[in-house]
Amino acid sequence: MEIKRITNERLGETVFCARHSSGLEVRVLPKEGYTSAYAVFGVKYGSIDTSVKNDSGEFETIPEGTAHFLEHKLFESEDLNAFERFAKTGASANAYTSFEKTAYLFKGSENIGESLEILLDFVQNPYFTQQTVEKEQGIIGQEIRMYQDLPDWQVMFNLLKALYKSSPVRIDIAGTQESIAKIDADLLYRLYGSFYNPANMVLSVVGGIDPQEVFDIVERCVKPVKGEASERKFVKESAKPVKKYVEENLSVAQKQFLLGYKEDIAEPLLALEDELASQVMLEAIAGKSSPLFKKLLDEELIDMGFGTELFNGFGFSCVMMGGTSADPEKTADIIRKEIKHIQSSGIDPAAFERAKRKLYGRMVMGYNDIDDTANLLMNLHFNGYEPFAELEVCKALTLEKAQQRLAVLKDGSSALSVISPIA
């Protein structure tokens, strides 16, 4: 493998990058003085991938929740499962499925090379039987029911269902009871072959590890495969939400809400500049030092848990604002009016500079955490960016760019999701 070094002089950090002959991208950031290391092996296959190309080259619908289901099953083998193997090296292992990816990971302070070999081995060697699949359907079914009772989870997915008509982002990551019942061992093997292609994956390792050792292990353990990874389907949405308001009653002490603004995107992915400009814009207009936050807090409409987020990925982008509130509709009304005022008057330059410095500082500090850094390197690759790209883009952000992102916040593209106490 040809190894490329990418250095950020300001941070004093270097990422070693290489592409294996299989197509696997490998990124390693050694941390001097660190005794532990964190590795994440990611595949660009998440809950939004509810279709796969068949032999005729046409997209075919697959059951919702398959990426999450496959994640659960991949830890199994005919002999010891992956968790039992990691226990022998002293590493702590886990995995997660998000909207856009599935990630398998471990963290340890000894036997790092051996743990890395286990990680690469079990992810590349699926083992499914119909009996174990049926057992897992019951386990994941319980997980689905559990999440249906979590107010934070439900207020978000209710908002996504109100905003999006066709995009699979509106679907729970674990799927539904009905969808997972359609999964069998043959389907899992087929989907594994369609998505778990090394060219559709990335290995990111950060911490007390020698980069050359990582590359040597990859050369020894990663197997080339035939064919190409399945293409991801882009589902185009209109800017108009499905509903303007949705409410659900759950066992909560106080009402919770999320106000969402859906962005009309022409391309599958939002540019990194737009993403970071949106974060700065939101901090400037609704962060904890903003007049809007102070007004809502003074009127006892929110508490310190109020926050904002740009929620975006392949085929979707929306702004979310929310928290707990005694009167979500009044709160949303005040937010909407303040946004219109700022759209007319412009973002305060001083507030923009504070928000930009805060974001940049938070990103720099993030490199002290090996977990966050490894996941960041993975995400940057999946979105088509080199290491440290987010720092350079943030430094170059202008007030004008943040002003442009205000245009995303349109009343006609918004919806309000509320969770209320059971009467």
Side-chain angles (χ1 to χ4, degrees):
M1 286 184 287
E2 181 179 346
I3 300 173
K4 178 173 66 173
R5 298 166 59 113
I6 300 177
T7 300
N8 184 283
E9 299 293 347
R10 191 180 296 259
L11 285 180
E13 302 277 18
T14 297
V15 177
F16 296 79
C17 306
R19 185 176 292 274
H20 185 253
S21 57
S22 64
L24 175 69
E25 178 76 12
V26 184
R27 295 184 168 185
V28 186
L29 196 165
K31 303 281 285 185
E32 188 175 348
Y34 281 63
T35 57
S36 60
Y38 179 101
V40 57
F41 196 13
V43 54
K44 193 188 293 185
Y45 174 41
S47 66
I48 64 169
D49 295 298
T50 55
S51 61
V52 64
K53 278 198 170 181
N54 57 28
D55 294 338
S56 301
E58 298 175 340
F59 280 108
E60 176 184 320
T61 301
I62 56 178
E64 299 160 0
T66 52
H68 175 258
F69 201 104
L70 186 51
E71 172 227 311
H72 275 231
K73 298 308 299 171
L74 211 52
F75 279 88
E76 295 182 356
S77 70
E78 289 187 84
D79 301 312
L80 293 177
N81 67 41
F83 290 114
E84 293 170 322
R85 296 173 67 187
F86 279 117
K88 293 186 175 182
T89 68
S92 173
N94 210 334
Y96 65 87
T97 303
S98 67
F99 294 96
E100 299 179 277
K101 62 182 173 290
T102 306
Y104 303 85
L105 57 98
F106 77 83
K107 187 174 184 178
S109 56
E110 55 186 1
N111 305 313
I112 303 302
E114 186 179 348
S115 294
L116 184 56
E117 290 184 16
I118 295 171
L119 177 67
L120 296 176
D121 179 65
F122 87 83
V123 174
Q124 291 183 95
N125 290 285
Y127 174 74
F128 314 125
T129 67
Q130 192 55 35
Q131 182 180 7
T132 59
V133 167
E134 290 173 2
K135 178 182 177 182
E136 197 68 39
Q137 285 167 335
I139 295 171
I140 294 180
Q142 291 178 337
E143 184 178 331
I144 291 170
R145 290 190 293 273
M146 178 188 73
Y147 275 96
Q148 288 173 344
D149 292 330
L150 297 179
D152 291 347
W153 193 257
Q154 287 303 107
V155 74
M156 181 184 74
F157 272 99
N158 288 348
L159 175 63
L160 291 175
K161 290 172 184 175
L163 291 175
Y164 292 94
K165 181 179 181 181
S166 304
S167 171
V169 76
R170 68 194 304 275
I171 301 162
D172 191 297
I173 290 171
T176 65
Q177 299 275 4
E178 294 75 22
S179 68
I180 64 170
K182 300 173 185 176
I183 296 174
D184 58 29
D186 289 341
L187 176 63
L188 291 180
Y189 276 117
R190 178 190 169 197
L191 295 175
Y192 180 91
S194 296
F195 291 103
Y196 281 69
N197 183 308
N200 198 42
M201 304 176 75
V202 61
L203 173 67
S204 176
V205 186
V206 178
I209 185 74
D210 175 19
Q212 190 58 56
E213 181 183 2
V214 174
F215 295 127
D216 290 344
I217 291 171
V218 169
E219 284 281 22
R220 188 168 64 250
C221 298
V222 175
K223 303 176 292 186
V225 299
K226 295 180 180 179
E228 297 180 352
S230 182
E231 179 185 344
R232 176 168 275 170
K233 185 178 181 181
F234 174 40
V235 180
K236 184 73 173 71
E237 283 264 353
S238 72
K240 187 177 180 181
V242 180
K243 297 178 181 178
K244 298 290 290 183
Y245 182 84
V246 59
E247 185 175 358
E248 182 179 358
N249 296 104
L250 289 175
S251 181
V252 293
Q254 193 174 9
K255 290 184 177 182
Q256 295 188 23
F257 79 99
L258 272 181
L259 174 64
Y261 290 85
K262 179 183 181 182
E263 182 173 1
D264 185 13
I265 56 174
E267 299 295 329
L269 285 173
L270 201 64
L272 183 57
E273 182 185 25
D274 289 328
E275 181 179 340
L276 298 185
S278 298
Q279 293 180 34
V280 171
M281 175 267 291
L282 288 172
E283 176 66 25
I285 69 173
K288 288 182 170 54
S289 61
S290 68
L292 173 60
F293 185 89
K294 184 177 185 305
K295 176 179 175 62
L296 294 173
L297 199 62
D298 288 346
E299 295 189 21
E300 298 184 347
L301 289 170
I302 62 168
D303 58 24
M304 295 301 291
F306 176 84
T308 65
E309 176 187 3
L310 174 70
F311 178 80
N312 71 302
F314 187 93
F316 61 93
S317 179
C318 63
V319 164
M320 296 180 178
M321 306 180 181
T324 59
S325 176
D327 192 339
E329 291 184 77
K330 181 179 179 181
T331 305
D333 185 54
I334 292 173
I335 292 172
R336 289 185 172 114
K337 288 178 180 177
E338 179 66 10
I339 287 171
K340 286 182 179 178
H341 169 70
I342 296 175
Q343 286 171 334
S344 175
S345 63
I347 297 173
D348 175 58
F352 165 77
E353 289 298 333
R354 284 196 302 271
K356 178 179 172 179
R357 287 196 299 270
K358 181 178 180 180
L359 176 60
Y360 188 83
R362 190 166 65 241
M363 291 192 298
V364 167
M365 291 299 294
Y367 280 89
N368 292 325
D369 189 302
I370 60 175
D371 308 36
D372 289 348
T373 304
N375 281 285
L376 171 63
L377 293 175
M378 172 180 62
N379 292 333
L380 285 170
H381 169 69
F382 280 153
N383 290 329
Y385 294 100
E386 294 278 27
F388 309 117
E390 81 289 358
L391 295 174
E392 301 308 311
V393 171
C394 186
K395 278 198 305 181
L397 281 181
T398 63
L399 176 59
E400 289 72 26
K401 187 62 183 179
Q403 303 274 26
Q404 291 174 15
R405 295 301 295 164
L406 276 170
V408 174
L409 307 177
K410 300 174 182 176
D411 275 353
S413 65
S414 70
L416 178 63
S417 171
V418 176
I419 297 294
S420 296
I422 297 172

